[in-house]
Amino acid sequence: MSDSGHSNMSQGKGLPPFNHNNHQMELQNYPRRSKPSLSPTLAELLKRVDDAQSDTSNYSTPVHQHQVLELGYACSSMPPLTPFVLSFNNLTYSVKVNQKLSFPFCGKDSSLGSSDTSSMKVLLNDISGEAREGEIMAVLGASGSGKSTLIDALADRISKESLKGSVTLNGEVLESRLLKMISAYVMQDDLLFPMLTVEETLMFSADFRLPRSLSKSKKKARVQALIDQLGLRNAANTVIGDEGHRGVSGGERRRVSIGIDIVHDPILLFLDEPTSGLDSTSAFMVVKVLQRIAQRGSIVIMSVHQPSYRILTLLDRLIFLSHGQTVYAGSPGSLPEFFSQFGHPIPENENRTEFALDLIRELEEAPDGTKTLVDFNKSWQVMKNPKNRNFNASKLSLKDAISASISRGKLVSGAPNNSSLTSSVPTFANPLWIEMMVISKRSLLNAKRMPELFGIRLGAVLVTGIILATVFYHLDNSPRGAQERLGFFAFAMSTTYYTCAESIPAFLQERYIFMRETAYNAYRRSSYVLAHSLISIPSLVVLSIAFAATTFWAVRLDGGFSGFCFFFFTILSAFWAGSSFVTFLSGVVSHVMLGFTIVVAILAYFLLFSGFFISRDRIPSFWLWFHYISLVKYPYEAALQNEFHDPAKCFVRGVQMFDTTPLAAVPLSLKLNMLKSISNTLGMNITSNTCVVTGADILRQQGITDISKWNCLWITIAWGFFFRILFYFALLFGSKNKRS
């Protein structure tokens, strides 16, 4: 490397802005890094280690804080004492590709006897290589060449049953649990919360990734140092932004995406096309950041479609792929010699990677494909590396190498140097309650900056409540009033569930953020479910109070203040069950419109079988099960029992029994005569003031006799917990990050 590059890396206070002119060097000389002339003394090394792991409170100034978590790498320009070497050998991965059946009348096949309707497509074919600490290894190739598949294979994102070959770190097979602790994977898409600032985004990531034992001041110091390392100081207090909110630039977003995954300073960093969609300057700055990360003691492996000349100067190892096969593996400086010996010398002023990719594309279109280039690469590798591939690998065991890396300041686990990495290091950096607090704080902060989302939902509930209050204003206790009360409760409860459908996009917007963060153990899935369940309750309480207060007294429902309280809790339980149900569906369905369609349809079925349109006794036996799983049934019955519970309250008296029949238009005198006739026939005196139908009679007519109102309330609440549990299992089994 150039002297300027070493001078930058030897500083302990973060990196100064880089100069593009420092990187215009010959590619042939680039892979050979010059060794520093001076080495720190043993006393200096011990002091740096002690400073990096101490937890004193003398970090008052921001500059000093930046040093705290950076000075473990103050000597990172030295060749690592215990370098990591990631080796992969004979990686092969195939998937089934379904084929269409050929029917006799299609003219191609005369029978359907063959049962083989699928074939195997090879995505990786016997790929080997290695990546070293302090270097960037780039995987290149055209679309469909297998770049992302190779990155996934190295990052343990392909099931071991499907992937053949071996991936080792310092000669030892990596367990999935250990790999998640010491590595990070940066997706191609920038998945960030739009209303958080750059500093807040990185701070929340630090709260997740860094152990609880690390003080708040040190976490802040790590974030500030990371901001400097990523070159984001000027954008630290700028929100990320989205389509409706102006925020940081595309290159800055990409660097923030990298930052949230490297805040715990991983040993292995995998990136899927980190320069995709960026202009040449932004792409160069991103790769320059990756070079800094590598030189601080990490292995960086990334896929890149077509790097520019400047980016090529930052890369240490290249692997060119074509249809899952290696057509070149080596340093950028060896490209001219390789293609010259292959018989296709690179023109002097030609971009080497562009020339290589164009040549590979031409060969792919030839009858023999890239077979000649693949075979030539194999012979080239034998000629250039006659010895064992891993002869330069670290002699230390993986456990000792990781411990030594931590002693130099790495934060991958926060474990003491003498710990057993695979046994005593926790899978997650923090306990469950800490994770819940961080998730809740982040969600509330993001929601606070977008109040319009809750405001729209509250407005919808208030408008619905006002409309119901005016339509059913001051219902009386007549037979028609009793019937209208039934309609009010049915519509009110179903509306409660339908307003919950507005929360469908809530998780769908966070779905891939959640998958990225849980893929490498940022937090537990259970923490996410519990936190989002708890923070949803205050908003549901506000919505329930708003709806109950606008309707209860306006409609003149029964029960006084105690009746209002029960009505409020019934509405709250319905909101809780509906919100849980919609949340569960959003964990199963990945498309917003499909989610809305399913929710609306299922809620319509729930209302149909709730007992309002047809009583339980009249529902066909083969549909009775749907009546008992209807979410509308239980709050509807609870509200009815709360309304019609008073035995002294009468809803039909004497001649009022004719009000809902064709005899309603008959003169009153004739109605009284009919009452006398009925009294004589029944042998009992029925006058115009005799109570004919009480609230209990209405409940019996509706088939509401088997469950009390309190049990209906508890069952509704239980439905909410049930769907939250189902949501957890949907996340557990439906958000896998591995290919099969």
Side-chain angles (χ1 to χ4, degrees):
M1 255 188 97
S2 64
D3 293 337
S4 60
H6 281 297
S7 65
N8 286 349
M9 290 308 301
S10 63
Q11 297 184 31
K13 296 183 181 180
L15 294 170
F18 58 88
N19 186 345
H20 293 187
N21 295 329
N22 292 341
H23 307 287
Q24 304 302 320
M25 61 191 75
E26 287 299 324
L27 287 174
Q28 291 91 337
N29 300 327
Y30 176 74
R32 300 171 183 170
R33 288 186 167 85
S34 59
K35 295 184 179 181
S37 57
L38 296 176
S39 297
T41 64
L42 178 60
E44 290 174 335
L45 283 174
L46 291 176
K47 184 179 184 302
R48 287 166 178 161
V49 173
D50 180 66
D51 288 342
Q53 294 188 333
S54 65
D55 193 14
T56 61
S57 58
N58 297 325
Y59 308 122
S60 56
T61 67
V63 175
H64 198 160
Q65 282 184 340
H66 292 197
Q67 291 176 340
V68 174
L69 298 180
E70 287 278 281
L71 47 75
Y73 299 100
C75 55
S76 61
S77 61
M78 299 187 312
L81 300 176
T82 55
F84 289 98
V85 178
L86 180 74
S87 302
F88 47 99
N89 297 290
N90 311 115
L91 293 183
T92 302
Y93 174 56
S94 304
V95 294
K96 277 189 176 182
V97 179
N98 292 328
Q99 295 179 338
K100 294 182 180 179
L101 286 171
S102 297
F103 292 94
F105 49 78
C106 292
K108 289 186 178 182
D109 229 334
S110 59
S111 73
L112 294 174
S114 176
S115 60
D116 183 18
T117 60
S118 64
S119 61
M120 300 301 293
K121 180 179 180 180
V122 179
L123 300 183
L124 297 178
N125 188 358
D126 195 30
I127 296 180
S128 300
E130 68 178 24
R132 294 176 174 274
E133 176 184 336
E135 298 180 349
I136 300 178
M137 185 182 83
V139 184
L140 295 88
S143 298
S145 61
K147 300 189 301 295
S148 297
T149 305
L150 178 57
I151 299 292
D152 287 347
L154 299 178
D156 192 32
R157 292 167 63 90
I158 298 177
S159 63
K160 296 187 183 301
E161 296 78 13
S162 303
L163 181 66
K164 298 178 181 178
S166 63
V167 180
T168 60
L169 185 62
N170 284 21
E172 299 184 27
V173 177
L174 272 173
E175 297 179 5
S176 295
R177 181 171 176 267
L178 179 59
L179 178 65
K180 288 184 177 182
M181 289 190 293
I182 66 172
S183 66
Y185 185 98
V186 180
M187 296 181 179
Q188 184 173 344
D189 298 323
D190 299 323
L191 306 171
L192 304 167
F193 286 92
M195 299 311 296
L196 300 181
T197 66
V198 170
E199 184 174 349
E200 289 168 345
T201 301
L202 296 175
M203 194 65 217
F204 280 121
S205 182
D207 288 335
F208 284 130
R209 296 285 189 178
L210 302 183
R212 180 188 171 199
S213 58
L214 204 63
S215 66
K216 191 73 174 179
S217 62
K218 284 194 173 183
K219 290 181 181 179
K220 289 182 178 179
R222 170 58 182 160
V223 169
Q224 295 301 322
L226 187 59
I227 289 174
D228 290 334
Q229 183 182 359
L230 297 171
L232 294 170
R233 176 56 57 193
N234 293 332
N237 296 318
T238 306
V239 296
I240 300 300
D242 56 11
E243 295 83 358
H245 304 86
R246 186 176 179 86
V248 298
S249 66
E252 290 168 337
R253 284 176 64 92
R254 189 60 49 86
R255 280 177 274 161
V256 174
S257 296
I258 295 171
I260 58 179
D261 284 311
I262 66 166
V263 70
H264 61 309
D265 212 355
I267 293 171
L268 294 168
L269 178 59
F270 305 98
L271 305 101
D272 186 12
E273 299 206 23
T275 61
S276 176
L278 301 180
D279 59 77
S280 60
T281 301
S282 298
F284 176 77
M285 293 175 69
V286 167
V287 180
K288 182 61 184 174
V289 167
L290 297 179
Q291 184 193 50
R292 298 174 184 175
I293 295 169
Q295 291 172 337
R296 291 179 180 274
S298 298
I299 299 174
V300 176
I301 303 175
M302 70 178 203
S303 60
V304 58
H305 184 66
Q306 195 163 329
S308 65
Y309 176 82
R310 289 192 302 167
I311 290 178
L312 199 61
T313 64
L314 305 178
L315 305 179
D316 300 279
R317 293 172 186 264
L318 303 178
I319 292 183
F320 282 86
L321 297 181
S322 173
H323 297 309
Q325 291 184 298
T326 305
V327 293
Y328 174 78
S331 68
S334 299
L335 274 172
E337 181 185 358
F338 176 84
F339 283 102
S340 177
Q341 293 190 18
F342 181 64
H344 292 77
I346 302 176
E348 186 175 345
N349 296 324
E350 184 92 13
N351 183 300
R352 294 164 185 178
T353 54
E354 289 182 4
F355 175 86
L357 291 171
D358 290 342
L359 177 60
I360 292 170
R361 193 174 291 111
E362 290 178 10
L363 293 175
E364 288 175 346
E365 297 174 357
D368 293 335
T370 55
K371 184 177 183 304
T372 55
L373 188 56
V374 171
D375 294 339
F376 177 76
N377 175 64
K378 291 178 180 179
S379 60
W380 167 274
Q381 297 299 331
V382 172
M383 179 182 66
K384 288 293 182 179
N385 303 306
K387 298 181 181 179
N388 191 318
R389 175 182 300 276
N390 297 321
F391 71 99
N392 283 325
S394 172
K395 297 180 180 179
L396 286 184
S397 67
L398 179 57
K399 171 189 166 184
D400 293 336
I402 294 176
S403 296
S405 181
I406 293 173
S407 72
R408 298 202 304 273
K410 281 285 184 182
L411 304 171
V412 287
S413 64
N417 296 341
N418 58 357
S419 66
S420 174
L421 289 169
T422 56
S423 60
S424 66
V425 176
T427 304
F428 299 92
N430 294 286
L432 184 140
W433 66 274
I434 291 288
E435 295 174 351
M436 289 176 58
M437 287 178 58
V438 178
I439 294 171
S440 301
K441 182 180 178 182
R442 183 177 66 177
S443 298
L444 291 174
L445 182 60
N446 197 57
K448 179 182 176 182
R449 292 178 181 167
M450 290 192 293
E452 62 273 11
L453 297 181
F454 177 73
I456 291 173
R457 192 176 180 191
L458 178 60
V461 170
L462 284 173
V463 168
T464 303
I466 292 171
I467 292 175
L468 288 176
T470 53
V471 171
F472 296 95
Y473 185 72
H474 281 193
L475 294 180
D476 56 25
N477 293 331
S478 66
R480 290 188 183 276
Q483 189 64 38
E484 288 165 353
R485 288 172 194 267
L486 296 177
F488 166 78
F489 287 120
F491 190 86
M493 296 308 158
S494 61
T495 301
T496 301
Y497 284 101
Y498 276 113
T499 55
C500 293
E502 298 176 8
S503 60
I504 287 178
F507 174 71
L508 293 180
Q509 292 174 347
E510 297 182 19
R511 184 185 190 93
Y512 293 103
I513 298 178
F514 165 84
M515 292 177 65
R516 184 202 67 212
E517 291 177 334
T518 55
Y520 286 82
N521 295 355
Y523 51 79
R524 300 166 179 83
R525 292 174 175 85
S526 56
S527 301
Y528 183 88
V529 174
L530 290 172
H532 276 265
S533 300
L534 290 176
I535 64 176
S536 69
I537 293 177
S539 62
L540 298 182
V541 170
V542 173
L543 295 175
S544 302
I545 291 176
F547 186 82
T550 54
T551 57
F552 186 85
W553 285 287
V555 179
R556 196 180 281 172
L557 299 180
D558 190 40
F561 182 73
S562 62
F564 170 78
C565 290
F566 187 85
F567 181 67
F568 158 72
F569 283 116
T570 302
I571 296 295
L572 179 59
S573 67
F575 270 123
W576 164 250
S579 175
S580 300
F581 172 68
V582 170
T583 301
F584 161 65
L585 280 183
S586 67
V588 176
V589 180
S590 59
H591 194 277
V592 175
M593 293 309 299
L594 181 60
F596 275 117
T597 303
I598 294 175
V599 167
V600 170
I602 294 179
L603 290 180
Y605 301 147
F606 284 161
L607 178 61
L608 174 63
F609 290 100
S610 64
F612 170 70
F613 293 103
I614 181 171
S615 65
R616 183 189 63 195
D617 300 334
R618 302 278 295 173
I619 296 177
S621 57
F622 51 85
W623 282 118
L624 199 57
W625 62 273
F626 212 123
H627 171 72
Y628 285 101
I629 69 169
S630 170
L631 295 183
V632 180
K633 163 187 165 64
Y634 299 100
Y636 172 67
E637 292 188 0
L640 285 186
Q641 292 185 66
N642 187 56
E643 179 67 19
F644 297 110
H645 72 289
D646 189 357
K649 199 168 185 178
C650 186
F651 291 91
V652 179
R653 293 182 181 275
V655 294
Q656 287 182 332
M657 71 171 64
F658 303 114
D659 288 354
T660 56
T661 69
L663 298 176
V666 173
L668 179 61
S669 58
L670 186 56
K671 291 179 182 177
L672 293 175
N673 290 333
M674 286 190 290
L675 278 182
K676 290 180 182 179
S677 300
I678 293 173
S679 298
N680 294 332
T681 303
L682 297 177
M684 57 183 295
N685 186 27
I686 302 177
T687 66
S688 59
N689 293 323
T690 302
C691 183
V692 178
V693 177
T694 64
D697 297 323
I698 294 177
L699 293 177
R700 279 193 295 271
Q701 290 172 7
Q702 297 297 312
I704 303 173
T705 57
D706 55 342
I707 306 176
S708 69
K709 70 175 186 178
W710 286 104
N711 286 338
C712 287
L713 182 65
W714 299 129
I715 290 174
T716 307
I717 295 173
W719 272 120
F721 282 104
F722 174 71
F723 283 115
R724 294 285 173 174
I725 294 172
L726 288 184
F727 177 55
Y728 167 73
F729 284 108
L731 299 184
L732 187 63
F733 298 108
S735 60
K736 298 294 185 182
N737 291 277
K738 287 190 177 184
R739 305 191 194 189
S740 59

